[in-house]
Amino acid sequence: TRVRKSKIDSLHRRRQEMIANVKLIEAVLQKYSAYKIGKETGISYSTVNDWKKGITSVYGMKLEYAIKLTEYAIQEKFEVEEN
């Protein structure tokens, strides 16, 4: 239906505006378990665990995952520390 499409378009536009933040992602990976992050974000446990263990670099993750983790960090009230 028309309403559903406009809602999806709105969500899609909002996601595109979100910035992926490596510092926030690293903070989340450091603070929470792979199980908790996976459960809360829908990213598989093994993928999150590979980032936590350094098997896979966070700089090589899919943009989709980077956005999810950044949104999760913001939801959990993480802040970027200024040096």
Side-chain angles (χ1 to χ4, degrees):
T1 64
R2 183 90 171 138
V3 174
R4 185 171 179 209
K5 184 175 180 349
S6 66
K7 184 176 181 180
I8 291 170
D9 289 344
S10 173
L11 290 171
H12 183 67
R13 266 187 253 107
R14 195 171 84 224
R15 274 193 89 111
Q16 286 179 327
E17 294 169 6
M18 176 59 67
I19 298 170
N21 187 300
V22 174
K23 289 187 180 201
L24 289 176
I25 292 168
E26 288 174 337
V28 166
L29 291 172
Q30 192 171 48
K31 181 171 182 178
Y32 296 135
S33 70
Y35 174 80
K36 178 176 175 64
I37 295 168
K39 186 171 172 105
E40 298 288 327
T41 64
I43 301 169
S44 77
Y45 167 85
S46 61
T47 299
V48 176
N49 201 41
D50 286 351
W51 293 323
K52 287 182 67 66
K53 290 183 172 185
I55 295 169
T56 305
S57 170
V58 294
Y59 292 98
M61 72 173 52
K62 292 180 182 180
L63 180 58
E64 173 189 357
Y65 294 158
I67 291 169
K68 280 184 179 183
L69 289 171
T70 300
E71 288 174 344
Y72 180 61
I74 292 167
Q75 172 189 316
E76 293 294 309
K77 310 282 193 257
F78 279 81
E79 294 181 10
V80 177
E81 293 181 16
E82 299 293 326
N83 291 342

